[in-house]
Amino acid sequence: MSFSKLFYLVPFLISSFIFSDCTDDVDVCFSLDGGNLNYESSQDMYGFQFSHTGCVTDADGGDGGDTFTISTSPSTVLAFDFGGAFLPAGGGTLIILEGDVSEDCLY
């Protein structure tokens, strides 16, 4: 089962994402494959942030883990680079999430 979300792009940080049907006017689409949060993006990504219900115990790896500093709290995952590094438009595994992760616990 897959889901799609839209990141609102702002300079140096993608601040939020919402559910979307992943149409042509959507900049970033996501799917969850086990703990892998996969993405397809038509825009460069300078970071990301999303909330969760406490289901994520750790987040690292993937393209985001290789590029950004990742911070995980009991309710939020935040990733960006202090020097302005970014993920170029494209696709792959954004981040590997650990815990009891499902579509329902990410928002």
Side-chain angles (χ1 to χ4, degrees):
M1 180 158 199
S2 69
F3 66 101
S4 302
K5 295 189 178 187
L6 165 68
F7 273 126
Y8 292 111
L9 297 178
V10 295
F12 302 110
L13 181 66
I14 296 173
S15 61
S16 138
F17 58 100
I18 59 174
F19 287 101
S20 171
D21 290 331
C22 206
T23 59
D24 290 339
D25 62 338
V26 174
D27 293 320
V28 183
C29 295
F30 298 92
S31 64
L32 188 62
D33 180 15
N36 292 349
L37 183 60
N38 300 314
Y39 72 101
E40 288 289 330
S41 175
S42 62
Q43 301 291 320
D44 295 342
M45 293 194 309
Y46 288 86
F48 58 89
Q49 176 180 339
F50 60 89
S51 298
H52 60 90
T53 61
C55 63
V56 177
T57 58
D58 196 17
D60 201 6
D63 297 339
D66 293 342
T67 305
F68 304 129
T69 299
I70 310 291
S71 177
T72 307
S73 78
S75 62
T76 304
V77 175
L78 173 65
F80 65 97
D81 182 72
F82 291 97
F86 63 93
L87 291 176
T93 298
L94 180 62
I95 191 106
I96 301 168
L97 305 173
E98 293 184 26
D100 188 18
V101 180
S102 69
E103 294 174 22
D104 296 333
C105 76
L106 304 176
Y107 59 98

